[in-house]
Amino acid sequence: MGRALSILVLLLIAEAPSMVRGAGWEDASKAVAVGHQAQAVSASLPTVDQVLDKYVQAIGGRDALDKVTTRVMKGSIELPATGDTGSIVPGTIEIYMKAPNKRVLMVNIPGNGTDRRGYNGKAGWYVDPDEGPKDLSGADLGALKGEAEFYREIRLKELYPKMAVEGRTRGGSAAAYVVNSTLADGSSEKLYFDAQSGLLVRDDLPVEIPDEGKTTQQSIFEDYKGVDGVKLPFTIRRLRPDGDSIIKFSEIKNNVPVDDNKFEKPPK
């Protein structure tokens, strides 16, 4: 598997978040001072339920989300240049999802082949370019399973053992509430919700990168647009010490027919 494709797998499927920060973002830890100042800030912060309820309303509301049972997303992906290949030609990305928890991802990078992986609701798989279909396990399986949660936006409190509003920070001219979310392994993922719109604008996910060790993958969500009454980000920027990537969706469709066989591991 080429280095570019290996980087792609990490960018899209990495499970765990945190050293990289986007330009203009203040350190969230500075949002909460010590002593009496910390108490004052804490008293002025919304509760987790208030932040999450506003988020659900911002993207269309529970009723609109419940009406969607499938989603197809297509677009382009740009990866960082590497010493092996130089500048990488933008590739294509396709994602198919079906409620409650089925997902398949296909990414094609010119000169590096196609990365294909899926979760059928019970088991995960990927297609090795050299050896064919294989089962996923460990962190990769856990990450893909989490991404396959179709109604993730309205199930956040169920998916995280513990959530707490940590403070308020700024990204450029916008303020955001920082929700510290505890993962099953005890590590922390931070979710940033725009204080005015309520939309999720950033996600800091702990990851472990070969030759880099434990660090953070930062995702920036931009260009929200309405699709059948549900707002979705059409641009996702992934920032990591081993290289950044940009995903730009040109087409997102809800409630289109998607055969269950699409999520099954291909035969050898």
Side-chain angles (χ1 to χ4, degrees):
M1 181 182 294
R3 184 182 174 199
L5 197 53
S6 297
I7 293 175
L8 171 63
V9 171
L10 290 170
L11 288 170
L12 296 177
I13 303 298
E15 178 188 30
S18 211
M19 293 180 179
V20 181
R21 290 190 173 89
W25 282 94
E26 296 177 0
D27 189 337
S29 63
K30 294 180 182 178
V32 182
V34 295
H36 296 296
Q37 183 179 359
Q39 294 176 2
V41 171
S42 177
S44 66
L45 293 174
T47 65
V48 170
D49 285 340
Q50 288 173 329
V51 172
L52 297 185
D53 287 346
K54 187 173 182 177
Y55 171 50
V56 171
Q57 290 305 311
I59 58 178
R62 184 178 293 267
D63 289 344
L65 291 165
D66 283 340
K67 291 177 182 177
V68 180
T69 58
T70 66
R71 179 170 295 137
V72 177
M73 311 169 75
K74 298 180 180 181
S76 64
I77 179 169
E78 297 179 13
L79 294 175
T82 69
D84 299 331
T85 62
S87 297
I88 296 179
V89 177
T92 60
I93 179 170
E94 294 184 21
I95 299 174
Y96 297 81
M97 300 182 68
K98 191 169 188 177
N101 59 349
K102 295 182 179 181
R103 176 186 175 98
V104 65
L105 165 74
M106 294 178 286
V107 176
N108 184 279
I109 304 296
N112 288 274
T114 299
D115 180 78
R116 185 162 46 136
R117 55 191 58 223
Y119 186 76
N120 64 6
K122 297 180 180 180
W125 53 266
Y126 72 103
V127 178
D128 186 290
D130 300 318
E131 300 180 20
K134 290 189 173 183
D135 293 329
L136 270 176
S137 61
D140 283 348
L141 175 60
L144 185 57
K145 183 178 179 180
E147 292 180 356
E149 284 287 345
F150 194 86
Y151 298 113
R152 173 181 170 84
E153 294 87 354
I154 57 179
R155 297 190 63 235
L156 288 174
K157 286 195 72 174
E158 299 174 47
L159 299 175
Y160 294 98
K162 182 179 179 182
M163 302 183 80
V165 180
E166 181 178 89
R168 180 180 171 118
T169 187
R170 299 191 68 82
S173 60
Y177 293 116
V178 186
V179 177
N180 192 358
S181 308
T182 303
L183 297 166
D185 63 0
S187 60
S188 294
E189 178 178 356
K190 294 187 178 183
L191 306 175
Y192 296 70
F193 297 89
D194 187 286
Q196 183 172 355
S197 71
L199 294 172
L200 178 67
V201 292
R202 171 178 155 188
D203 172 23
D204 288 355
L205 179 71
V207 298
E208 186 161 352
I209 303 173
D211 302 324
E212 293 279 353
K214 293 183 178 180
T215 181
T216 297
Q217 172 180 286
Q218 183 184 109
S219 297
I220 308 295
F221 304 100
E222 302 171 332
D223 192 23
Y224 274 86
K225 297 178 183 178
V227 182
D228 302 318
V230 178
K231 279 191 175 181
L232 299 167
F234 273 65
T235 298
I236 302 174
R237 302 178 186 273
R238 293 271 169 84
L239 312 179
R240 294 164 56 104
D242 57 347
D244 303 341
S245 68
I246 302 176
I247 299 173
K248 294 183 178 181
F249 293 109
S250 57
E251 176 184 301
I252 299 180
K253 294 182 178 180
N254 291 328
N255 291 330
V256 295
V258 181
D259 195 292
D260 284 333
N261 288 330
K262 197 169 194 70
F263 306 97
E264 298 298 332
K265 183 172 71 173
K268 291 187 177 180

